[in-house]
Amino acid sequence: MAITEEKLGEILEVYPEKVRVNRRRHIVLKEPDTNAAQQIEANTRTLPGIITNRGCAFAGCKGVVVGPIKDMVHIVHGPVGCAFYTWGARRNKARAGEDGKNYVNYCFSTDMQESDIVFGGEKKLAKLIDETVEIFHPNAISIAATCPVGLIGDDISAVARAAEERHGIQVLAFQCEGYKGVSQSAGHHIANNLLMDKVIGNTEVEKCDEPYAVNLLGEYNIGGDGWEVERILKDIGYHVVCVMTGDGSYEDLRLAHTADLNLVQCHRSINYIAEMLEIKYGTPWLKVNFVGIKSTCDSLRAMAAYFGDKDLMQKTEDVIARETARIQPVIDQYRKVCEGKTAFCFVGGSRGHHYQGLFAEIGVETVLAGYEFAHRDDYEGREVIPSIKKDADSKNIPDLHVEADTKRFKIKIDPERLAKLREKFPFDEYKGMIVDMKEGTIIVDDLNHFETEEFIRLLHPDIVSSGIKDKYVIQKMGIPSKQLHSYDYSGPYAGFNGAVNFARDISMSFATPTWNYIVPPWKNQPLLNATINGDELNA
Ligand code: CFM
């Protein structure tokens, strides 16, 4: 059943009027004219009482952007629960580099107790830093502030400065208290600012000696995604200077200014660094998407076009031909199971868009999609950025002001050639999710649990891709639910091998006999109600 304004009205009817008006602004019914700009409200506070899937600023900073950097120790200054829930669950995998350092498997926390809240936790934090250096010898340390730290006023920056002097390594203090901002998105911004300010370029190294040097931004190696992307890039002949931040290292991050091109996978979490790298060092960025076969091929071709080298272009085509010939027959088999099915695709801030192409490649149509915490530009495209109104919450996170580095700024590509490439490829550009969605589909920002159930009842999707907070509610409704945050212990799903894994896992979701034991609610309800001569008819 397609969604109509009337049906939508019925779903929202139960809300009090103010809530109804608010929620309606977060929902878009895709209109036929794809050129007509459709506006959505995003990155504003979730209304009290609504059960949202969102996280907090601390989660976005420590859990998402900073946490995966493997040769640093990441200290959570706060209660142990904050540390635990931003540690293992995200599946950002890492292997030790040449120096043997990988602390991603450890969870570090000051484990604040009542007495620390009353008397302050600075001494405890300083002691933990000393012990950490003594036992683990990390290349650098991060301190992430949780809510109580901001409330009691512990000065983590002062503790960090003193520790830097004592130990001679960088200690970065992230003021990312959970309550700053409306979601984890605020934490991404805080993390981007400090990494840009203190880490990137903090080295004597001026240039990279390898050809085709790229940074991979916004790739967090969930389930090994980054490893599959790196496999492909290295096969073609690229040199990956650093990955931000999946399986990434502090040492590599310092060299990020030496790359010739920045690749942006997740626009939401890292666009700030991409922009600042361009201003400071003159490095353009390319919006890539390594989820889905076509998107992967498109991204590889855009990269090759940027470098403009004939051999590189040929190698790109060779790898694409070899990989697609290898995987397509396998995907085709799985497609037989999935063909004609429909999906909801609701994830955090970029995957709600990125996975739609991969779903389509296995024959699954996305009928509803959305983001937990994205901004309007992730829905409508970057051209709306100047028109996004600042509110008290967004003003809370200052923009870091950067200027061209007088010594290191370098034009990497002839501006005229870049302008030409822009006509064909998304350099410094992201057009957002809405433009890629079909007429009659629905886009929902900050989808909540009530609306999830109501849209499922109305649209009867065959699979819902979402997260742990709603997975089991959905499955109890008789619908397979695929976590696209953690991949349910599977993956990688990126690149060519990832596409095969995804096709296998999704077809398995459909093929399992489990669903014979659970009846979706609408299966017990008549699809048609009518009366003939006073008698009720149900069909
Ligand atoms: Fe970027 Fe992410 Fe996402 Fe994100 Fe996240 Fe994640 Fe995500 Mo979960 S950085 S916005 S804050 S792609 S943890 S790896 S899956 S919500 S869609």
Side-chain angles (χ1 to χ4, degrees):
M1 188 189 288
I3 190 111
T4 58
E5 194 62 52
E6 195 193 346
K7 284 281 166 203
L8 183 58
E10 284 171 21
I11 289 177
L12 304 183
E13 207 173 33
V14 295
Y15 287 139
E17 200 197 332
K18 262 193 171 171
V19 179
R20 186 163 60 238
V21 172
N22 174 293
R23 284 303 303 155
R24 183 61 191 87
R25 291 200 296 259
H26 291 261
I27 300 171
V28 162
L29 306 183
K30 181 67 192 281
E31 283 169 1
D33 182 357
T34 46
N35 293 323
Q38 288 188 269
Q39 193 172 320
I40 193 163
E41 188 161 304
N43 192 35
T44 53
R45 276 186 183 253
T46 304
L47 295 170
I50 282 182
I51 306 176
T52 170
N53 285 358
R54 284 173 161 181
C56 65
F58 161 77
C61 179
K62 193 274 166 188
V64 173
V65 179
V66 181
I69 304 173
K70 62 188 175 189
D71 55 349
M72 291 177 72
V73 160
H74 306 292
I75 293 176
V76 173
H77 189 32
V80 76
C82 298
F84 181 80
Y85 286 105
T86 49
W87 171 50
R90 183 157 170 262
R91 303 191 68 238
N92 43 266
K93 296 184 169 202
R95 285 190 200 115
E98 276 171 17
D99 63 5
K101 295 182 182 182
N102 174 18
Y103 308 105
V104 166
N105 299 331
Y106 296 90
C107 185
F108 295 83
S109 172
T110 47
D111 183 22
M112 285 178 105
Q113 305 291 314
E114 207 171 329
S115 60
D116 304 316
I117 303 293
V118 176
F119 299 109
E122 291 175 9
K123 281 193 191 129
K124 197 173 187 183
L125 175 61
K127 189 162 174 261
L128 174 56
I129 295 171
D130 294 346
E131 283 177 10
T132 299
V133 173
E134 194 187 316
I135 299 170
F136 294 97
H137 315 292
N139 292 343
I141 290 176
S142 79
I143 305 165
T146 56
C147 293
V149 170
L151 297 174
I152 64 173
D154 268 5
D155 189 348
I156 62 168
S157 297
V159 175
R161 271 196 306 276
E164 281 186 342
E165 277 174 29
R166 278 200 307 283
H167 300 294
I169 58 169
Q170 269 199 300
V171 182
L172 306 168
F174 292 88
Q175 299 285 168
C176 57
E177 290 86 348
Y179 53 74
K180 280 192 174 161
V182 303
S183 69
Q184 52 267 64
S185 170
H188 301 151
H189 198 166
I190 293 167
N192 277 225
N193 284 353
L194 203 60
L195 292 178
M196 186 70 202
D197 197 25
K198 301 271 191 211
V199 181
I200 293 170
N202 180 17
T203 166
E204 303 291 308
V205 181
E206 293 299 335
K207 63 182 194 49
C208 175
D209 294 329
E210 305 281 340
Y212 317 126
V214 297
N215 292 321
L216 185 49
L217 275 62
E219 168 49 64
Y220 299 95
N221 204 27
I222 309 299
D225 275 355
W227 289 333
E228 166 66 359
V229 175
E230 278 195 73
R231 176 188 75 83
I232 300 164
L233 296 184
K234 283 181 181 159
D235 197 0
I236 293 174
Y238 290 102
H239 172 70
V240 179
V241 177
C242 89
V243 184
M244 293 184 207
T245 53
D247 194 29
S249 76
Y250 166 82
E251 296 301 334
D252 291 345
L253 216 67
R254 294 163 71 196
L255 304 171
H257 62 289
T258 65
D260 302 312
L261 176 66
N262 292 317
L263 311 172
V264 173
Q265 170 70 25
C266 168
H267 174 264
R268 181 66 269 133
S269 63
I270 209 108
N271 71 86
Y272 319 95
I273 285 182
E275 275 179 52
M276 290 188 279
L277 284 173
E278 182 150 30
I279 296 168
K280 196 166 178 186
Y281 303 112
T283 324
W285 59 270
L286 170 71
K287 177 70 189 76
V288 292
N289 179 15
F290 291 112
V291 175
I293 304 164
K294 183 179 179 299
S295 303
T296 299
C297 298
D298 289 350
S299 300
L300 295 174
R301 289 189 172 118
M303 290 171 66
Y306 172 84
F307 287 100
D309 179 283
K310 278 221 171 90
D311 290 346
L312 189 74
M313 285 178 179
Q314 189 52 52
K315 189 75 211 278
T316 302
E317 292 307 325
D318 293 347
V319 168
I320 288 174
R322 186 198 70 209
E323 293 285 312
T324 48
R326 177 174 66 84
I327 65 162
Q328 198 58 54
V330 191
I331 301 256
D332 290 345
Q333 289 301 316
Y334 291 126
R335 190 180 163 115
K336 288 179 193 158
V337 182
C338 305
E339 188 87 58
K341 305 255 196 254
T342 59
F344 283 9
C345 191
F346 182 77
V347 207
S350 75
R351 296 182 175 189
H353 183 197
H354 284 157
Y355 273 83
Q356 292 186 33
L358 184 51
F359 266 129
E361 283 164 351
I362 58 169
V364 178
E365 189 193 344
T366 302
V367 292
L368 179 149
Y371 300 124
E372 283 175 26
F373 52 76
H375 299 199
R376 276 184 57 204
D377 36 313
D378 302 294
Y379 292 101
E380 302 173 52
R382 284 179 64 88
E383 61 271 19
V384 303
I385 291 176
S387 65
I388 296 175
K389 279 194 217 105
K390 285 247 174 198
D391 60 13
D393 289 309
S394 45
K395 279 184 199 152
N396 211 4
I397 316 297
D399 282 319
L400 178 69
H401 179 72
V402 291
E403 285 173 1
D405 186 311
T406 45
K407 225 174 93 202
R408 288 173 167 173
F409 183 93
K410 209 171 80 206
I411 297 285
K412 307 279 194 308
I413 179 173
D414 170 39
E416 265 180 39
R417 203 166 82 76
L418 184 60
K420 271 245 155 80
L421 287 173
R422 277 203 188 103
E423 290 168 15
K424 222 173 139 196
F425 303 111
F427 284 96
D428 314 315
E429 176 57 296
Y430 177 49
K431 290 202 181 311
M433 170 199 280
I434 294 179
V435 71
D436 283 339
M437 293 202 60
K438 280 196 191 148
E439 173 191 346
T441 57
I442 180 161
I443 297 108
V444 191
D445 176 65
D446 191 14
L447 182 69
N448 59 52
H449 284 208
F450 164 71
E451 289 165 15
T452 302
E453 290 183 36
E454 291 301 308
F455 284 126
I456 286 175
R457 283 198 183 94
L458 186 68
L459 298 171
H460 305 178
D462 296 298
I463 191 160
V464 175
S465 53
S466 188
I468 191 66
K469 291 167 190 163
D470 46 8
K471 178 184 175 80
Y472 296 103
V473 175
I474 294 161
Q475 296 203 152
K476 283 174 184 171
M477 294 177 84
I479 316 280
S481 175
K482 178 78 211 161
Q483 289 193 72
L484 282 188
H485 300 254
S486 71
Y487 301 162
D488 293 310
Y489 322 107
S490 188
Y493 287 158
F496 299 110
N497 289 335
V500 173
N501 292 339
F502 186 75
R504 178 200 62 210
D505 290 356
I506 298 299
S507 57
M508 242 169 23
S509 305
F510 293 138
T512 169
T514 313
W515 309 114
N516 298 335
Y517 299 96
I518 307 165
V519 183
W522 59 84
K523 292 258 166 92
N524 292 327
Q525 288 161 9
L527 290 173
L528 279 175
N529 293 320
T531 45
I532 297 179
N533 298 333
D535 292 333
E536 228 175 72
L537 278 181
N538 295 328

